[in-house]
Amino acid sequence: MNHTSSESANEHEQQLTTFTVAGLFFGIDVREVQEVLRYQEMTLVPQSGSVIAGLINLRGEIVTAIDMRRRLGLKDREDGVLPLNVVVRSDDGAISLLVDEIGDVIGVGRDSFEQPPDSIDKEQRDLLDGVYKLDGRLLLALSTAKVLDLSPTSS
Amino acid sequence: MEEQDELTKEFLIESNENLTQLDQDFVELEQRPDDKDLLSSVFRTTHTIKGTCGFLGFSTLEAIAHGAENILSQLREGERILTPALTTLLLEAFDVIREILAVIETTERESSQQYIDLRERLKAACDSNEETVSSSTGAPGDESAAELSESDGGVETPEVSAPLPVESSAVDKEQARPAAPAAKSSLAESNIRVRVDLLDNLMNLVGELVLARNQILQFSESQQDTNVTAASQRLNLITTELQANVMKTRMQPIRLVWNNFPRVVRDLGRSVGKNIELQMEGAETELDKTIIEAIKDPLTHLVRNSCDHGIESTAVRTGAGKSGKGVVLLRAYHEGGQVNIEISDDGGGIDPAKLKSKALSKGLVRTEELERMGEREILNLIFMAGFSTAEKITNVSGRGVGMDVVRTNIEKIGGSVDVQSQLGQGTTIKIKIPLTLAIIPALIVRCGTERFAIPQVSLLELVRIGVGRGQQIESISGAPVYRLRGKLLPLVYLGEILALKNDEDQSQEPSVNIVVLQTDDKTFGLVVDSVSDTAEIVVKPLSKLLKGLSWYAGATIMGDGYVALILDVMGVALRGQIMGIGHSHAHVAHDESVSEISDRQAVLIFRSGSDKRLAVPLSVVDRLEEFPVERIESSGGRKVVQYRDRILPLLALNEVLDSGAVDATDSEKVQVVVFSEGERQVGAIVDEVLDIVEDSVGVRSPSSRRGIVGSAVIDGGVTDFVDLRYLISQVDEGWIADGGRVTRVMVAEGSRFSRGVLRNYLEMAGCEVLEAADSAGVLKILRLHRVDVLLASLDLPGMDVYELMRQIRTDLGLYEMRMIALSSESKDGSSPAAEDDPFDDYQDELDRESMLQSVTQLTRAIESRQAAQVEVLTT
């Protein structure tokens, strides 16, 4: 996958791997991302709830896949549209986030960082660290820890 | 600095090991205070500790060790005898040493505590003997000087023989002891110390190798190239051996867990004032390291329990004629692919009566449930949460840990725990644990489009119910069960509990596959779509995200790369709510096991007119319906009702049986019991359906009353059995194709009891029954009487059954008669395939429903053939 940085590569404080889910533009700290992959066959985990999409065999490691559409409370993907994998590392092993499209690795500066505006749904806002105001669009910075916390007391 | 840390680390590890050994030695020493070898080794160990302490600058530690060592020196020299008080003092010293070591481990230095009091007591104990000693070893002051000079070389004690770099290896203590006494284990094994995480890594890699090997094997099967197949075979062999060996490296003797116990038992015994001895058998039994960690706590609790609550006080024991010393026995051994650990005591045993009343008073179980429990189940009550039968909860074992936690912990690692006890004699707790957690043999099954793995350790057997035998699955209180060799097996449908989509319509499935599983003494059947092979799978834990799903034990990668979920048998059972069913039907299964042939039947009970209790076998009942009175019409003088696109003739049962006026509770609707015989149906109007009961149909007294076959005691009440045939004959004589002829069945069975049971059953279904006790009897009857269907037991006394059948067909020329073979095992799916097989069908003797079905089918076959013959003749 392409890992090109954007224009001014030097002064940026953070590098984010970006992807799209239901038209929304998200980013995760590149240091937490193990790899990105095209669609992988999954084994369903019956009765695991709607957020867990299934299990993937990643070079011999069993990776749990979370459907980001469900996790963010967004509409389901259309039939036949296959998601892509953003595999993140956690102390629980590798977890794959199922997204619609993969974007570039973007460098962002601290000065463009803001708190998420109220126009964003609560369900998504709770999973964000903040947003970056880029020219023309909003980059929603996801907190990996919050995304992976599926306990009932969290969002 | 680095070196110092390494030295300290080594010191800590070794000292802890030594202290554990000291505990054991001391307890032994108490039993044999004169044992010179023991004394020597104890002294040496203490000496080593003291020496190293000094070298590393831990002065408080050194002082205490020194104090202990002085006393030990006197003991070793035979200048004094070990008394219990002395032992306690010395053990206290070692405990303090442990404490200090723990502080050093975290802070790298001693605490500020000086332990003055202990040191003075040690000195006092030493001095008090000094006075009585004639040849002293010198003034304490000189002694310490002498010791100090020794301690310079303290690092080079016999323990470390070569100046190897500290972190890589240390020769085993056993080998280093100069004259290892025969009583102690004197194996001259060379050992090497390896870090645990290295071994874990190794294990993981082997696991990966196993998976890769599986994949290669799969591919190589489709290869023609012999070089490839040969190489993959070699890979296979090597991997298997590597796997076995690596697993062995992780195996440790259970002795490591048991090490502490002698001390625990000793201290406990003293604190509660009991005389208890701990015996251990099979300490060398090996377990995987992960399991060792997991059972440490449960075992400790159980041992403490035995001491605290099991063994009685010396007074009680002698009063009961037992020896004053109580014995707690630990046993470990391998059996059937599992490790068995038993903790027995010869104490007072568990009082079932006390258990019961305790359980009741704590509201843990209801009286009815208690009454249904067998002894084993009652004893297992101690594992229920919130239970403690101790009169007072001591701070020793009753700290809220509880037997339920013990059981949970053991079951978490895939083991099981069971308790047996004899009041007044003792109690034994048996634990079974699988040998390893990482790589297990499993059965692969399919359900819907998914594949699942079931650990083979829980697998009892596979049952396949053949085509058209779906009726063998019965329903008790709404729960599906299958009768397996006389016992009721609760069923769980995997597709249902996982809400899986079916590949095809389930009801069209030609055969039902049941995987019989066992968990914690509960047996149940898991219904799946199909069963594939067994495979050795590597268990991979599920992510924390999935931890709450208790019916999955993990996941694995199959040979073709497919990720399969591993089922947790206990979790599946709970999800299918088997435990409840298993419980309440425990007594049913219990009774079943007492007499293999029981005469339990499902019976429909209803009332009509003055007949307060009438019954028919449930197997002949098609449906129970309710119609509004207005829907009943008249046709040709008969009452009928339009029912499912057909006309259903109705009978008022009270008129047929002449039992007086109707007493229906509802004047607007009628209750109808629908019977069917092939295509024909008749509905009997009854006053009220009372119940469906499964009970043994016991003594039956015949009745002379028309329409009643006889009466029996069902579910505690005298009940009259309705003659179904008579009922039907009342509707329309023409309904019985053979013009009122009743199916005549001969039951050929050696056991009188079984014959009687079958006779009852068949008669109540409307057949006429003849009996024969052996082959000769069969032939005799057949020469004189016409019989429609012969039911012959495969174990019939007399000549060989097949020979008998041959004679019937050829010698007697009875080709019309249908013959059914009865066996006492369930022959699922097997039907006679051979052309010359004389039997038309095989049936399970105990499966009367199915047997009756077969009789009916065969009879109908006769009838239709005869009807066809009649047609031919008349056209």
Side-chain angles (χ1 to χ4, degrees):
Chain A
M1 300 300 295
N2 40 358
H3 283 257
T4 56
S5 7
S6 65
E7 299 88 292
S8 31
N10 304 324
E11 281 141 13
H12 295 288
E13 311 231 5
Q14 253 206 321
Q15 301 252 313
L16 299 181
T17 300
T18 64
F19 48 86
T20 313
V21 182
L24 296 173
F25 191 49
F26 293 95
I28 282 191
D29 190 329
V30 72
R31 290 169 298 187
E32 294 180 304
V33 177
Q34 179 175 295
E35 61 194 285
V36 291
L37 300 168
R38 65 176 190 279
Y39 174 74
Q40 301 285 312
E41 288 284 333
M42 281 182 283
T43 298
L44 299 174
V45 183
Q47 301 294 293
S48 59
S50 58
V51 172
I52 307 277
L55 301 174
I56 298 173
N57 173 5
L58 189 60
R59 296 183 303 276
E61 189 187 347
I62 297 182
V63 172
T64 309
I66 296 182
D67 187 330
M68 285 310 284
R69 287 235 181 179
R70 296 264 172 92
R71 185 73 182 99
L72 294 162
L74 300 165
K75 222 172 53 167
D76 274 354
R77 229 162 270 113
E78 280 153 26
D79 273 345
V81 175
L82 300 175
L84 307 177
N85 294 276
V86 175
V87 182
V88 297
R89 263 189 300 274
S90 77
D91 39 53
D92 187 24
I95 312 275
S96 175
L97 309 176
L98 297 183
V99 304
D100 297 351
E101 278 162 29
I102 310 267
D104 299 337
V105 173
I106 295 183
V108 290
R110 207 77 218 147
D111 42 342
S112 42
F113 183 81
E114 281 177 15
Q115 283 305 305
D118 291 331
S119 54
I120 299 181
D121 276 347
K122 183 177 189 312
E123 212 170 336
Q124 291 133 34
R125 212 169 345 117
D126 285 344
L127 300 176
L128 301 178
D129 278 335
V131 303
Y132 288 91
K133 255 191 153 152
L134 309 178
D135 39 56
R137 55 187 178 168
L138 213 53
L139 171 59
L140 306 170
L142 280 170
S143 155
T144 314
K146 288 191 196 148
V147 169
L148 298 184
D149 181 7
L150 295 183
S151 55
T153 47
S154 70
S155 65
Chain B
M1 254 315 126
E2 282 293 308
E3 221 179 85
Q4 178 84 330
D5 285 340
E6 280 301 322
L7 273 174
T8 312
K9 253 189 263 176
E10 264 306 303
F11 164 67
L12 286 170
I13 296 175
E14 276 214 33
S15 300
N16 275 316
E17 279 179 11
N18 288 339
L19 284 169
T20 309
Q21 186 65 41
L22 274 176
D23 273 347
Q24 269 187 293
D25 288 348
F26 253 98
V27 176
E28 259 181 88
L29 212 45
E30 264 197 303
Q31 310 285 337
R32 312 195 302 273
D34 301 325
D35 190 328
K36 282 237 140 226
D37 294 326
L38 269 177
L39 280 169
S40 292
S41 100
V42 167
F43 172 81
R44 250 196 323 274
T45 311
T46 316
H47 182 71
T48 309
I49 295 178
K50 192 211 73 172
T52 324
C53 295
F55 181 72
L56 292 173
F58 298 130
S59 50
T60 313
L61 204 45
E62 188 193 355
I64 297 174
H66 184 45
E69 189 194 26
N70 286 339
I71 300 174
L72 286 169
S73 170
Q74 292 167 346
L75 288 169
R76 187 180 64 156
E77 302 299 320
E79 290 160 6
R80 70 194 302 172
I81 303 292
L82 185 65
T83 64
L86 210 49
T87 309
T88 309
L89 176 62
L90 287 169
L91 286 177
E92 185 190 337
F94 294 133
D95 281 343
V96 164
I97 293 179
R98 251 202 212 92
E99 264 176 48
I100 303 179
L101 287 176
V103 172
I104 295 177
E105 190 168 345
T106 42
T107 66
E108 282 177 28
R109 39 185 58 249
E110 294 178 315
S111 71
S112 50
Q113 200 177 354
Q114 296 277 312
Y115 297 98
I116 302 289
D117 171 66
L118 174 63
R119 285 152 71 174
E120 288 191 345
R121 276 187 286 132
L122 285 169
K123 186 163 189 304
C126 177
D127 291 343
S128 71
N129 200 51
E130 287 263 313
E131 293 148 17
T132 67
V133 169
S134 47
S135 64
S136 93
T137 50
D142 293 341
E143 200 178 287
S144 44
E147 299 293 359
L148 270 172
S149 62
E150 266 189 69
S151 75
D152 283 336
V155 178
E156 269 127 7
T157 60
E159 309 305 330
V160 182
S161 58
L164 296 163
V166 182
E167 60 262 23
S168 67
S169 67
V171 178
D172 187 274
K173 226 164 49 150
E174 302 293 321
Q175 192 183 353
R177 288 227 180 87
K184 312 208 79 170
S185 84
S186 57
L187 307 164
E189 18 175 359
S190 61
N191 290 350
I192 197 168
R193 189 174 286 148
V194 178
R195 287 164 49 141
V196 174
D197 49 355
L198 266 178
L199 279 181
D200 282 343
N201 262 343
L202 200 54
M203 192 68 203
N204 277 341
L205 289 170
V206 169
E208 301 298 327
L209 184 62
V210 166
L211 289 179
R213 183 270 317 259
N214 290 350
Q215 278 187 303
I216 296 222
L217 276 186
Q218 244 201 351
F219 295 143
S220 81
E221 265 165 40
S222 53
Q223 291 292 324
Q224 304 294 24
D225 189 344
T226 45
N227 289 330
V228 172
T229 39
S232 48
Q233 269 306 93
R234 214 168 135 54
L235 176 67
N236 186 18
L237 285 172
I238 298 174
T239 309
T240 309
E241 234 190 283
L242 179 63
Q243 179 189 331
N245 275 301
V246 169
M247 300 227 287
K248 263 197 247 168
T249 65
R250 291 164 53 99
M251 301 292 260
Q252 292 181 310
I254 200 172
R255 182 176 20 95
L256 294 179
V257 177
W258 287 0
N259 267 346
N260 297 324
F261 289 166
R263 171 79 190 275
V264 167
V265 169
R266 181 207 176 262
D267 288 346
L268 248 177
R270 288 178 70 81
S271 77
V272 298
K274 296 180 192 170
N275 191 351
I276 310 177
E277 180 189 321
L278 180 69
Q279 291 174 355
M280 307 193 282
E281 270 176 40
E284 296 309 311
T285 308
E286 293 192 326
L287 301 178
D288 185 278
K289 184 178 186 323
T290 42
I291 301 180
I292 296 245
E293 296 301 315
I295 60 164
K296 228 183 197 160
D297 284 341
L299 279 186
T300 310
H301 181 81
L302 290 173
V303 168
R304 298 183 110 147
N305 230 24
S306 287
C307 294
D308 203 23
H309 305 315
I311 304 280
E312 322 93 314
S313 71
T314 321
V316 172
R317 285 182 71 87
T318 44
K322 294 184 184 176
S323 86
K325 184 163 68 174
V327 171
V328 173
L329 171 65
L330 289 173
R331 268 189 78 208
Y333 55 95
H334 286 299
E335 189 185 68
Q338 297 193 303
V339 176
N340 291 30
I341 304 174
E342 291 174 10
I343 300 137
S344 328
D345 63 68
D346 63 351
I350 299 177
D351 186 351
K354 268 207 209 142
L355 267 188
K356 280 198 250 194
S357 68
K358 206 79 180 194
L360 273 176
S361 70
K362 287 191 185 268
L364 294 171
V365 49
R366 296 193 306 277
T367 323
E368 316 87 72
E369 289 173 332
L370 267 186
E371 277 165 27
R372 287 197 232 123
M373 284 188 190
E375 189 191 319
R376 193 114 168 265
E377 280 184 86
I378 294 183
L379 286 177
N380 275 294
L381 283 175
I382 57 173
F383 293 115
M384 284 185 89
F387 205 99
S388 171
T389 53
E391 294 297 309
K392 56 179 167 62
I393 296 178
T394 68
N395 66 349
V396 161
S397 62
R399 229 175 303 169
V401 173
M403 293 294 262
D404 60 319
V405 175
V406 166
R407 182 158 77 168
T408 312
N409 282 343
I410 291 180
E411 284 174 354
K412 236 195 291 194
I413 56 172
S416 66
V417 60
D418 184 50
V419 56
Q420 287 162 7
S421 177
Q422 278 277 46
L423 191 56
Q425 291 186 3
T427 309
T428 301
I429 313 238
K430 267 201 189 148
I431 301 176
K432 285 196 192 156
I433 313 175
L435 271 177
T436 177
L437 307 174
I439 302 184
I440 58 169
L443 179 72
I444 313 297
V445 301
R446 273 182 205 270
C447 198
T449 51
E450 310 295 314
R451 271 183 275 169
F452 298 92
I454 301 177
Q456 210 158 53
V457 68
S458 309
L459 180 66
L460 286 180
E461 65 185 286
L462 299 174
V463 173
R464 196 150 168 271
I465 305 182
V467 188
R469 301 271 180 92
Q471 307 89 335
Q472 286 187 352
I473 295 178
E474 306 166 43
S475 181
I476 305 242
S477 310
V481 294
Y482 174 72
R483 205 179 286 265
L484 183 66
R485 291 189 295 280
K487 296 208 185 133
L488 288 178
L489 184 75
L491 295 180
V492 174
Y493 283 79
L494 187 59
E496 273 176 28
I497 61 172
L498 297 182
L500 293 173
K501 287 196 290 272
N502 293 327
D503 255 347
E504 314 136 61
D505 185 5
Q506 199 64 28
S507 55
Q508 307 303 345
E509 272 304 309
S511 55
V512 174
N513 292 291
I514 302 179
V515 181
V516 184
L517 300 168
Q518 181 175 46
T519 168
D520 182 38
D521 292 346
K522 305 261 188 302
T523 309
F524 70 100
L526 186 67
V527 180
V528 300
D529 289 352
S530 69
V531 171
S532 300
D533 317 313
T534 55
E536 283 230 321
I537 58 170
V538 178
V539 177
K540 297 213 178 243
L542 289 174
S543 142
K544 264 190 232 131
L545 300 169
L546 302 167
K547 270 294 148 66
L549 308 178
S550 60
W551 50 96
Y552 298 127
T556 185
I557 299 186
M558 312 278 320
D560 60 358
Y562 175 85
V563 175
L565 285 158
I566 303 172
L567 297 178
D568 180 297
V569 177
M570 170 85 77
V572 165
L574 285 171
R575 193 156 173 83
Q577 286 162 341
I578 281 305
M579 304 316 240
I581 295 175
H583 249 292
S584 62
H585 285 88
H587 88 293
V588 169
H590 216 53
D591 290 346
E592 299 274 353
S593 63
V594 168
S595 58
E596 269 292 300
I597 299 170
S598 90
D599 45 4
R600 302 183 74 85
Q601 295 182 39
V603 165
L604 178 76
I605 303 185
F606 48 94
R607 65 180 178 88
S608 168
S610 59
D611 287 309
K612 292 305 164 197
R613 273 177 83 85
L614 297 172
V616 285
L618 192 60
S619 52
V620 303
V621 173
D622 205 30
R623 271 176 202 85
L624 299 178
E625 295 282 356
E626 195 183 71
F627 300 118
V629 171
E630 307 85 58
R631 275 180 59 186
I632 299 180
E633 305 168 54
S634 247
S635 162
R638 292 233 159 263
K639 290 208 202 85
V640 298
V641 70
Q642 288 187 39
Y643 175 61
R644 296 174 177 229
D645 300 329
R646 294 156 67 180
I647 311 274
L648 176 70
L650 294 175
L651 278 179
L653 197 59
N654 59 316
E655 288 170 13
V656 172
L657 298 177
D658 209 15
S659 53
V662 161
D663 173 31
T665 45
D666 187 343
S667 51
E668 293 189 340
K669 296 208 191 87
V670 288
Q671 310 291 324
V672 175
V673 178
V674 182
F675 306 104
S676 57
E677 221 191 65
E679 288 297 297
R680 295 186 295 270
Q681 283 183 320
V682 62
I685 302 175
V686 303
D687 287 357
E688 187 188 352
V689 172
L690 294 172
D691 205 353
I692 295 178
V693 165
E694 227 214 30
D695 200 354
S696 44
V697 180
V699 178
R700 188 172 62 81
S701 22
S703 168
S704 50
R705 201 172 139 200
R706 285 188 125 203
I708 299 289
V709 173
S711 58
V713 175
I714 303 283
D715 200 30
V718 176
T719 316
D720 291 327
F721 274 81
V722 174
D723 184 345
L724 181 59
R725 290 236 144 212
Y726 179 77
L727 213 62
I728 292 178
S729 72
Q730 291 304 298
V731 177
D732 186 345
E733 277 96 21
W735 274 33
I736 298 172
D738 51 12
R741 193 185 84 170
V742 175
T743 306
R744 191 181 283 158
V745 176
M746 168 149 62
V747 174
E749 157 69 62
S751 151
R752 191 148 161 263
F753 177 61
S754 310
R755 269 206 316 275
V757 167
L758 288 170
R759 167 193 270 270
N760 273 0
Y761 187 77
L762 290 164
E763 277 181 343
M764 264 176 274
C767 302
E768 194 185 308
V769 180
L770 302 175
E771 286 181 42
D774 53 31
S775 316
V778 171
L779 290 171
K780 182 162 152 209
I781 294 176
L782 286 177
R783 284 196 178 96
L784 302 173
H785 302 280
R786 180 215 88 213
V787 166
D788 294 318
V789 181
L790 167 63
L791 290 158
S793 161
L794 287 175
D795 303 316
L796 188 67
M799 74 176 78
D800 172 62
V801 173
Y802 286 92
E803 169 62 22
L804 174 64
M805 297 303 126
R806 200 195 55 75
Q807 283 196 12
I808 291 173
R809 294 285 195 217
T810 52
D811 296 351
L812 295 181
L814 292 171
Y815 293 102
E816 287 298 319
M817 187 176 74
R818 300 295 97 199
M819 303 202 281
I820 300 176
L822 295 176
S823 76
S824 46
E825 295 168 324
S826 109
K827 273 184 153 73
D828 24 59
S830 70
S831 32
E835 281 260 312
D836 49 0
D837 193 323
F839 286 109
D840 294 290
D841 194 10
Y842 286 78
Q843 285 296 331
D844 179 2
E845 200 168 65
L846 304 161
D847 189 349
R848 285 178 288 276
E849 261 86 318
S850 171
M851 182 187 69
L852 181 64
Q853 209 107 34
S854 185
V855 168
T856 317
Q857 276 174 345
L858 291 171
T859 316
R860 223 175 293 140
I862 303 176
E863 289 167 18
S864 58
R865 206 175 31 250
Q866 288 174 345
Q869 285 170 352
V870 169
E871 248 187 71
V872 167
L873 290 174
T874 54
T875 48

